[in-house]
Amino acid sequence: KPFCQTPVIGSGLFTNNLNNNKMKLEIGMKFTSKWFEGTTEILAINEEENTLDVEIHRASGHNHSEEWNLQHTLWGFERGEYRLLA
């Protein structure tokens, strides 16, 4: 089943960050990780498959796409492992 190209609205896409503020994962959202250098951008959200299609932008210019587990990403935001970029 193809990824949705518009934000999917559903309870599974909302998470609490460390300050207990609700945030929603959306297509186009950019964030950094404490686990690797670079910027991650959400390209697609598939709530039914529990996946995110992301692109990782490296300073070296070696960008690549990956499929991530949606729930694990939400938990990463809750634990402060990811930081949303303005």
Side-chain angles (χ1 to χ4, degrees), residues 4 12 16-17 21 27 29 34 39 45 51 53 55 60 63 68 73 77-78 81 83:
C4 298
N16 288 317
N17 65 17
N21 296 321
I27 292 171
M29 180 180 281
K34 76 175 198 175
T39 301
I45 299 170
T51 58
D53 189 18
E55 181 160 301
S60 65
N63 303 335
W68 285 11
T73 305
F77 273 103
E78 290 174 1
E81 296 173 358
R83 192 180 79 205

Side-chain angles (χ1 to χ4, degrees), residues 14-57:
F14 289 88
T15 185
N16 288 317
N17 65 17
L18 292 178
N19 297 320
N20 273 339
N21 296 321
K22 289 274 188 188
M23 63 174 283
K24 181 176 67 161
L25 297 184
E26 296 179 345
I27 292 171
M29 180 180 281
K30 295 181 181 180
F31 55 94
T32 59
S33 170
K34 76 175 198 175
W35 301 111
F36 57 85
E37 292 183 25
T39 301
T40 303
E41 179 180 359
I42 298 175
L43 301 177
I45 299 170
N46 188 327
E47 192 171 5
E48 288 181 17
E49 300 284 327
N50 192 40
T51 58
L52 292 176
D53 189 18
V54 301
E55 181 160 301
I56 303 189
H57 303 271

